[in-house]
Amino acid sequence: MSTAVETEEKPAPYHVAHHTHRDVSGGWLRPAVFGAMDGLVSNLALMTGVAGGDVDTKVIVVTGLAGLAAGAFSMAAGEYTSVASQRELVEAELDIERLELSRHPKDELRELAALYVSRGVEPELAMEVARQMSADPEQALEIHAREELGIDPADLPSPLVAAGSSFVSFALGALLPVLPYLLGATALWPALVLALIGLFGCGAAVARVTARSWWFSGIRQLLLGGAAAGVTFVLGSFIGTAVG
């Protein structure tokens, strides 16, 4: 008579060593990416629009620096307010859930068990899992927040991180089209070339984070930024001629 021996299957060494994930909820990536792109595109478009009006180089430089400062502070303030408001809303919902857990623990327990049943777990096992997971009040709150609200209470985005990332990235992006003028350039084309290279580089860098094709992402950003600069240059030329 043969006996069956159960063995625990271990994950492959390659899977253990390489199964990692990027930080997708740290609160910095979106404002940093958006800030850099917005800084490059908006300041480039602003400067090309002014340059299209055939104004003095000093005016273009002042416009670029003013756009950098105004845009960076505006982006940081907007990101801080947006993320802080979102965080306050989430915390308010967590307070409601925490209150429900303290007032109606049995109802919340049955609700969690029903959720597991809806996902294919047997009713008795679902109730036992829900009971064990709800033994710790803070763990129970975390589970209900994940299952009902789709959030992790321990991983909420930081308003300060979002604002700081947005400010720095916007300022760096907006600095590129101004830099050639600060180094002595008197024509628009060096600023345009450097800004377009920066746009391609930003797009390619974002692709490294999102695992998309670097050349596609880079070309997409280059075309979008170039189109914005071209449109504003034409508008600036038209306005400069009309008011000249």
Side-chain angles (χ1 to χ4, degrees):
M1 181 177 64
S2 61
T3 59
V5 179
E6 295 185 357
T7 59
E8 182 180 356
E9 184 178 352
K10 297 182 179 180
Y14 180 85
H15 181 82
V16 174
H18 296 276
H19 189 69
T20 58
H21 296 283
R22 300 174 178 86
D23 177 15
V24 297
S25 59
W28 64 270
L29 179 60
R30 186 189 64 84
V33 171
F34 183 68
M37 297 299 182
D38 192 29
L40 260 169
V41 175
S42 63
N43 219 30
L44 175 63
L46 178 64
M47 292 174 63
T48 53
V50 173
D54 195 22
V55 299
D56 185 76
T57 300
K58 182 178 179 180
V59 176
I60 300 175
V61 174
V62 172
T63 299
L65 292 176
L68 184 157
F73 281 109
S74 176
M75 286 286 294
E79 281 294 332
Y80 183 89
T81 303
S82 174
V83 175
S85 300
Q86 179 186 7
R87 187 182 180 106
E88 290 165 0
L89 175 61
V90 170
E91 289 173 346
E93 292 298 316
L94 289 175
D95 288 339
I96 294 174
E97 190 63 36
R98 187 179 288 109
L99 186 62
E100 288 296 311
L101 285 168
S102 64
R103 286 183 176 178
H104 310 288
K106 292 183 179 179
D107 291 337
E108 292 294 317
L109 182 64
R110 285 192 289 267
E111 183 180 311
L112 186 59
L115 179 63
Y116 291 146
V117 170
S118 70
R119 295 184 177 179
V121 181
E122 295 180 357
E124 292 184 2
L125 179 58
M127 179 58 74
E128 181 61 26
V129 171
R131 184 178 293 109
Q132 292 186 25
M133 298 292 283
S134 301
D136 180 7
E138 287 304 314
Q139 179 175 267
L141 176 64
E142 179 180 341
I143 293 170
H144 280 271
R146 287 177 181 272
E147 299 294 346
E148 297 178 24
L149 304 175
I151 59 174
D152 183 356
D155 193 26
L156 299 180
S158 166
L160 289 176
V161 170
S165 299
S166 181
F167 182 91
V168 172
S169 60
F170 185 98
L172 291 176
L175 180 62
L176 281 184
V178 187
L179 193 59
Y181 285 102
L182 297 178
L183 296 177
T186 57
L188 177 63
W189 69 265
L192 184 61
V193 170
L194 183 59
L196 293 178
I197 292 174
L199 282 169
F200 181 86
C202 283
V206 169
R208 295 287 296 176
V209 177
T210 60
R212 294 293 181 90
S213 172
W214 64 269
W215 59 267
F216 174 80
S217 182
I219 292 176
R220 178 177 60 185
Q221 291 304 136
L222 187 151
L223 292 176
L224 290 174
V231 170
T232 54
F233 182 84
V234 171
L235 290 175
S237 300
F238 176 78
I239 295 171
T241 302
V243 301

